[in-house]
Structure formats: C-alpha cells, structure tokens
Amino acid sequence: METQLKNLQSEALSAIEKTKTPEDLKSLEVKYLGRKGELTQILRGLKDLPPEEKKKAGQLSNSVKKTLEDVLETKKAKLETAEIEKALKKDFFDTTIPGDARPLGHIHPLTQIQEEVERIFNQMGFGIMDGPEVESEYYNFESLNIPSDHPARDMQDTFFIKDKDDGKHGKMVLRTHTSPVQIRTMEKYGAPLRIIVPGRVFRYEATDAGHDTTFYQVEGLLIEKDISLSHLKGVMAEFLSRLFGKPVKVRFRPGYFPFVEPGLELDFSCLICDNTGQREGEDCKVCKKTGWIEFMGAGMVHENVLKAGGIDPKKYQGWAFGFGLTRLVMMRYAIDDIRLLTNSDLRFLKQF
Ligand code: FA5
C-alpha cells in the first residue's frame, strides 16, 4: 500500500503540474481526492492490514492527501491569476495613462496674412470674392482691355491649357492675376461694389528668390458714385497701418496697366527706416535708401472695363488695385526667398 500511495502521489503531482486550466485542475481533484477517487479506493484496503502497517499507511495517506490538497490549492491560485491577467490584457483600458501626443500643425503664414487682410478690409465694408483659377482668355485679358494683338499681353507670361476653348470666351488659361474677378463680380452684382479678391495666380516665369510660377495676389475693387483716387489713398493708408500696427504713409507714382486709366503704382513708407532711407547712420537696405517700398499696381477702372462688366461709366466710377500677397508675407517676416513658402519644409514653417 505504501508503494501504491507513493505512486499515486507522484502521478498526481506531475498531472497537476501540467494542468493549464482551472477546469482540468478540478477534474484532477475529483480523480485523486474525490469520494470515489483513487486515494479513497486505496484506503478501502486499509482495514485488511495488520495494525502496525495500518497505522503507518494511515499516516502516509494523510500526508499524501495533505500534500495533494496544498499543491492543488497553490496551482488553483496560480491559474486564476493567469486568467485574470489575460483578461486584463485583452479588455482593460487604463484611462489614467497619458495619451500619445499628436503633433498639431498651424495655419500657413500665407493663410495667416490672408485672413488678416480679409478681416481688415471686411471691417472697412469690403466683401470677399473668389473666382476660377482656370480662366478664359476673355476674362483674363479681353474684358480687361487687353486684346490678343495688344503688346500688354507680354507683361504677363501665360500658361495656356492645351486644346481648351469654350467657344465663347476663347482659350482657357491659368489666370495670371486676380483681375478677371473684377468683371465676373460686376456682371453678377452690378454697381455699387466694394470687394477684395484674394487668390492664387500663375505665370510662366523662371523662378528665382523673388519670382515663382504660382503665387498669391489680392485684388481690390471699389465702384460707387463720385469716387476718386484720394479715397484709394485713404483706404490703403488705413489698411497698411492696421496691418503693421503703426502709422504708414502711401504715395502714388505713374504706372501702366491697360485696365485702369490713369494707372499708378503705390508705395508705402519703409517701416525699417521710418521713411528716412537711413538706419543707424547707414543706408537702409530694405528700401534701398529711398524711404519707400514698392507695393502694388492700381488706378481708376478703365471705361471699357466698366462697360465689359455691364456698368454705365457715366454713372459710376471706381478704382482697382492688385498686390502680391506672397510678397507682402515676405516683407512682413523678412523672408528672402519666395520658394520657401511653397516647398513645405517644416523647419521653415514651424517658425511662424
Ligand atoms: C497685376 O497683376 C495687376 N493685375 C495688378 C493691378 C490690379 C493693377 C488692378 C491695377 C489695377 P503685376 O503684374 O504688377 O500686376 O502683379 C502684381 C503683383 O504681383 C506684383 O506687384 C508682385 O507683388 C506680384 N507678382 C508678380 N509676379 C510675381 C511672381 N512671379 N512671383 C511672385 N509675385 C509676383
């Protein structure tokens, strides 16, 4: 019986050791220690043993029982812990663990300035308009008093869209300026008008630090009764002063654009040298010692343009302007190469 008991113990211990689930463990418990289990079966033979052996076998069977009970208990705890850990791994979500930080971008410097420009003009009563980037020759040139045989066509090198001609308005082009939206808005809303048009424009140009093939302009158009260039001067001085946060002066120089008459160029006072051309005893490099920064083209809207837009030039006058938004951003942040604004280099963009 002693041998039987020892064999039972070692067999049971090895079976318990190998068990992987609490259910299997339970079956082993029943198999070895249950009422009809193997230990009970062996103990049935106890009564037939001589008293001395009976005592010894009785003690041994108690010890085997105790050992198996202890080992079963320990194994049970171990399996339960493993089950809980497994469940935790699958379903548990610890809300107290800090989340993964996702890098947040910010608005591109060009868009930042565009929004600022829109806000200021909006406050002065100007609406914001939009127009197509793929435009007809008619809107981009003809309606703006630039016929196809006119030398002024050479002023803006143009991307033509191959084989596209809408039949009514000539070939299609990538708009070279935002001025076509002048005509589109006059046609749609008539006079009076007070709008700006920020937008992307395209020129077939060799790129360098100051020129790109794709850049942004802001068009302005004001049409009312009894309007003169003095209103333009006032509006632009106010706009630039608000944009730069300090008083800015403007001046006109004669300039030529076929869609305005008279045409002019507008400069504003250099903010670096305070319009003096000198800074800390040296010539100002920003304005090349003139005290003025060249800013935009403008003028009184040409009669032919008003007519093309369906507005009677005898009743209404107006002025228009167009400036390079991209160049304004460069001036504002002292960016010396225009290409930095479009090449998506995060080391550059993160500075704004
Ligand atoms: C025009 O495009 C006229 N439509 C402006 C205008 C509107 C005049 C209304 C009168 C009345 P211009 O070709 O000069 O004009 O361009 C205007 C501005 O666009 C320039 O002053 C400059 O700031 C910017 N610009 C022109 N070419 C480029 C280029 N390749 N890259 C970046 N900016 C440019």
Side-chain angles (χ1 to χ4, degrees):
M1 178 167 290
E2 215 176 298
T3 325
Q4 265 183 310
L5 284 168
K6 280 185 181 155
N7 286 347
L8 175 92
Q9 173 167 317
S10 70
E11 185 199 310
L13 284 178
S14 123
I16 293 168
E17 171 69 28
K18 286 183 197 141
T19 332
K20 295 234 159 44
T21 66
E23 292 75 32
D24 291 349
L25 194 68
K26 186 78 200 159
S27 319
L28 287 181
E29 189 178 355
V30 172
K31 182 177 177 208
Y32 294 110
L33 302 181
R35 263 195 305 130
K36 292 177 187 164
E38 291 183 18
L39 185 65
T40 319
Q41 300 294 337
I42 297 173
L43 291 181
R44 287 221 171 106
L46 212 59
K47 62 181 186 322
D48 304 325
L49 294 176
E52 198 50 33
E53 271 187 51
K54 200 180 193 172
K55 192 177 163 200
K56 237 168 123 188
Q59 278 168 350
L60 182 61
S61 71
N62 277 342
S63 137
V64 168
K65 192 171 176 215
K66 177 86 175 58
T67 306
L68 292 186
E69 277 172 356
D70 287 351
V71 172
L72 278 166
E73 191 59 35
T74 315
K75 181 75 180 185
K76 192 174 163 203
K78 210 167 148 188
L79 287 177
E80 279 173 0
T81 313
E83 291 254 303
I84 291 170
E85 274 171 3
K86 204 167 133 199
L88 280 180
K89 257 192 206 145
K90 203 165 117 226
D91 301 326
F92 184 67
F93 178 70
D94 186 349
T95 51
T96 64
I97 292 176
D100 291 340
R102 283 177 192 262
L104 258 191
H106 63 72
I107 295 177
H108 192 278
L110 238 155
T111 318
Q112 287 180 32
I113 302 280
Q114 180 179 329
E115 286 178 355
E116 224 171 298
V117 169
E118 289 179 6
R119 187 174 49 77
I120 297 170
F121 274 105
N122 225 214
Q123 286 166 349
M124 292 197 280
F126 286 74
I128 318 292
M129 295 302 297
D130 204 1
E133 291 177 350
V134 180
E135 187 53 283
S136 66
E137 264 189 296
Y138 171 75
Y139 281 112
N140 198 79
F141 295 119
E142 259 98 23
S143 66
L144 290 166
N145 206 28
I146 318 173
S148 56
D149 55 0
H150 197 285
R153 283 257 174 134
D154 293 344
M155 289 165 77
Q156 300 179 354
D157 292 315
T158 310
F159 289 110
F160 282 86
I161 309 278
K162 245 187 183 168
D163 301 326
K164 279 250 177 140
D165 184 337
D166 76 349
K168 198 166 148 212
H169 292 121
K171 281 197 187 131
M172 300 302 281
V173 299
L174 293 186
R175 67 175 180 191
T176 53
H177 50 175
T178 41
S179 302
V181 188
Q182 286 189 32
I183 306 290
R184 288 184 173 276
T185 316
M186 287 186 224
E187 283 179 347
K188 193 162 178 193
Y189 298 106
L193 270 183
R194 208 186 274 201
I195 56 150
I196 61 159
V197 186
R200 189 158 57 158
V201 303
F202 311 86
R203 299 219 184 149
Y204 181 56
E205 282 187 27
T207 58
D208 59 30
H211 297 81
D212 211 340
T213 53
T214 303
F215 57 98
Y216 287 77
Q217 285 190 339
V218 176
E219 192 81 8
L221 176 68
L222 183 141
I223 296 176
E224 280 175 32
K225 288 181 175 158
D226 302 323
I227 282 298
S228 76
L229 287 175
S230 60
H231 297 111
L232 174 63
K233 216 170 191 179
V235 165
M236 291 316 291
E238 181 63 22
F239 159 66
L240 290 163
S241 300
R242 288 197 201 177
L243 185 73
F244 292 117
K246 57 180 177 182
V248 177
K249 286 189 281 188
V250 297
R251 76 171 185 187
F252 291 158
R253 282 179 294 114
Y256 173 69
F257 300 93
F259 31 94
V260 285
E261 178 59 37
L264 54 96
E265 301 270 351
L266 182 142
D267 304 337
F268 65 81
S269 50
C270 178
L271 300 159
I272 304 299
C273 65
D274 256 335
N275 204 209
T276 60
Q278 297 289 311
R279 188 163 177 252
E280 291 164 359
E282 290 189 19
D283 294 344
C284 177
K285 289 195 188 82
V286 176
C287 62
K288 301 196 188 76
K289 66 181 180 183
T290 62
W292 296 95
I293 306 281
E294 291 179 16
F295 183 53
M296 67 176 200
M300 296 301 290
V301 181
H302 197 289
E303 247 190 62
N304 292 349
V305 174
L306 288 171
K307 283 186 198 155
I311 290 174
D312 183 353
K314 295 208 172 63
K315 282 196 195 145
Y316 288 97
Q317 310 84 53
W319 40 251
F321 63 79
F323 64 81
L325 185 67
T326 314
R327 294 255 173 93
L328 181 64
V329 175
M330 292 172 74
M331 258 184 258
R332 172 81 178 261
Y333 294 120
I335 297 166
D336 57 9
D337 193 325
I338 193 168
R339 292 162 292 196
L340 285 167
L341 285 163
T342 44
N343 73 3
S344 305
D345 187 337
L346 286 179
R347 289 168 306 176
F348 167 75
L349 291 172
K350 275 181 179 164
Q351 299 173 71
F352 303 95

